[in-house]
Amino acid sequence: MNLKAAITGIHGYVPEDVMTNADLEKIVETNDEWITSRTGIKERRILKGEGKGTSVMAAEAVRGLLEKTNTDPNDIDLVIVATVTPDYMFPSTANLVCTQVGIPSICSFDILAACSGFIYALTTGAQFIESGRFKKVIVVGADKMSSIIDYTDRTTCVLFGDGAGAVLLEPTEGENGIIDFMLHSDGSGENHLIMKGGGSKYPASHDTIDKRYHYINQEGPQVFKFAVTNMANVAAAIMEKNNLKGEDVRWLVPHQANKRIIDATANRMGIGEDKVMVNIQKYGNTTAATIPLCLFDYQDQIKKGDNLILAAFGGGFTWGSVYVKWAI
Ligand code: UT7
């Protein structure tokens, strides 16, 4: 018996509060023309309210997913949350989400792979299904990027937003499901994209706060160079490995960091704009949430049997691609 993991449900959540490019013009020296032409972003969502962490958005996405798929919380075997903005260093956000939505005492844990977090979590969850061990796995990508953004730094504050997306994975013996994946990492990218403070190397202190170590720090052009090459390469590589030509692919589901990186990836794959999921204009870069939020926004347009290539690049560095044949 050859078990595959299939995505059998998808749901997303973004907070109500919208931060537009015009709003940012009032905070830092920037303008709509620069942000739009360099990134493709028009607005992003911000989770407001004291004491609200990433788990609030992740739980909303999971609640919606359970309802939509008519799934009893008692039947869930595993919840994985990909995030770089957990509510706490510990306990894990996945533990908190389970309790918030009423999923009792199952295995749940977080995965940290920055902007590639969702595809790392998705492929991890798929292994538990393919082994026959678990029947229902929820994979979430969620980030409250506004909690680690320095709103005096125009080079990063215009890029990021908050959101969450969740998928249900179930076993199938059919031909559709998660077919293949390629995952990579390279820790020498450490200093190009990093939040230095709050870990064991630089625990919180007056000094780390003065040095702004608790904010995301990105060397944009350096990261761009790596991202544009590696995301395009890994998307092309998984196509080649699975004998897929541009015409065989129905959807590229790319991490939404920069419209120029998305375009370069599509070009490399030999596919036109009509096959590329893009919602960066509405949400900016929501880190682990970009890919599930794309699937959520485009769910009505995806058809059973469609070939999807998911591709991401992010801090670490981490990058990778997943080949999915849509199952619902
Ligand atoms: O998701 C995780 C992975 N992350 C990525 O993939 C992001 C990769 N990097 C990027 O997307 C791009 O590098 C950015 C969007 C971050 C920046 O775009 P860029 O075309 O690489 O611009 P740059 O950083 O080279 O800056 C060009 C100019 C600079 O001015 P000078 O030195 O040429 O006078 C910046 O100071 O634009 C200036 N600039 C801005 N101007 C207006 C930088 N940020 C802004 C801003 N508004 N917000």
Side-chain angles (χ1 to χ4, degrees):
M1 189 165 62
N2 190 7
L3 277 184
K4 280 196 200 74
I7 296 175
T8 54
I10 170 98
H11 200 68
Y13 173 80
V14 289
E16 272 172 30
D17 276 290
V18 176
M19 184 185 263
T20 64
N21 290 350
D23 294 330
L24 283 159
E25 284 176 15
K26 294 178 200 139
I27 303 173
V28 287
E29 185 72 41
T30 190
N31 56 77
D32 176 56
E33 199 283 324
W34 190 95
I35 302 171
T36 309
S37 62
R38 298 290 177 123
T39 71
I41 302 166
K42 284 289 190 188
E43 55 187 47
R44 60 296 282 145
R45 300 300 182 95
I46 305 293
L47 181 64
K48 292 199 175 149
E50 206 167 318
K52 284 190 181 173
T54 294
S55 69
V56 170
M57 297 185 293
E60 283 290 343
V62 171
R63 258 185 225 109
L65 180 71
L66 291 170
E67 199 180 301
K68 208 155 116 185
T69 54
N70 225 343
T71 304
D72 184 340
N74 294 300
D75 292 340
I76 299 297
D77 301 304
L78 165 68
V79 172
I80 308 176
V81 175
T83 186
V84 291
T85 51
D87 284 31
Y88 312 111
M89 284 288 285
F90 73 90
S92 81
T93 301
N95 303 163
L96 307 177
V97 169
C98 287
T99 298
Q100 284 175 33
V101 304
I103 298 174
S105 63
I106 54 152
C107 169
S108 72
F109 58 87
D110 290 357
I111 278 187
L112 196 160
C115 295
S116 312
F118 182 75
I119 62 172
Y120 266 73
L122 182 72
T123 49
T124 302
Q127 304 315 300
F128 287 95
I129 299 270
E130 286 171 23
S131 69
R133 169 72 69 165
F134 290 149
K135 298 261 180 304
K136 288 184 193 290
V137 172
I138 290 179
V139 178
V140 185
D143 271 301
K144 183 186 172 186
M145 295 308 289
S146 62
S147 67
I148 56 167
I149 293 300
D150 179 351
Y151 283 99
T152 66
D153 174 9
R154 70 172 181 174
T155 68
T156 52
C157 74
V158 302
L159 303 174
F160 295 94
D162 304 338
V167 299
L168 179 64
L169 291 178
E170 292 181 275
T172 171
E173 287 172 48
E175 61 171 343
N176 296 328
I178 294 171
I179 310 291
D180 198 8
F181 64 89
M182 290 175 152
L183 299 175
H184 299 278
S185 72
D186 178 358
S188 69
E190 174 183 6
N191 288 318
H192 298 305
L193 181 47
I194 188 168
M195 189 182 89
K196 276 194 179 152
S200 54
K201 187 164 173 177
Y202 299 111
S205 68
H206 287 290
D207 187 48
T208 61
I209 288 170
D210 289 344
K211 287 178 169 154
R212 307 186 93 73
Y213 275 8
H214 299 275
Y215 294 124
I216 189 167
N217 188 285
Q218 173 171 252
E219 292 166 1
Q222 281 289 344
V223 177
F224 186 91
K225 219 167 58 190
F226 283 103
V228 86
T229 314
N230 286 308
M231 198 161 116
N233 282 351
V234 79
I238 202 160
M239 286 172 67
E240 197 176 328
K241 189 170 163 218
N242 289 278
N243 294 314
L244 295 172
K245 301 269 174 279
E247 60 264 29
D248 303 318
V249 174
R250 178 58 192 94
W251 294 108
L252 165 63
V253 195
H255 169 54
Q256 312 277 307
N258 189 316
K259 181 69 166 53
R260 290 182 287 148
I261 299 173
I262 296 171
D263 292 344
T265 305
N267 258 340
R268 180 72 200 284
M269 293 167 69
I271 61 168
E273 266 185 14
D274 58 316
K275 293 183 168 185
V276 186
M277 295 190 189
V278 179
N279 58 14
I280 191 171
Q281 71 284 1
K282 295 196 289 182
Y283 309 137
N285 183 348
T286 54
T287 302
T290 60
I291 289 178
L293 278 175
C294 271
L295 292 172
F296 177 59
D297 278 0
Y298 281 81
Q299 60 187 327
D300 293 340
Q301 295 177 59
I302 317 172
K303 301 212 163 48
K304 193 172 181 171
D306 279 354
N307 287 324
L308 279 66
I309 301 292
L310 284 46
F313 182 90
F317 294 129
T318 54
W319 67 102
S321 54
V322 185
Y323 169 28
V324 178
K325 268 181 110 58
W326 202 246
I328 47 174

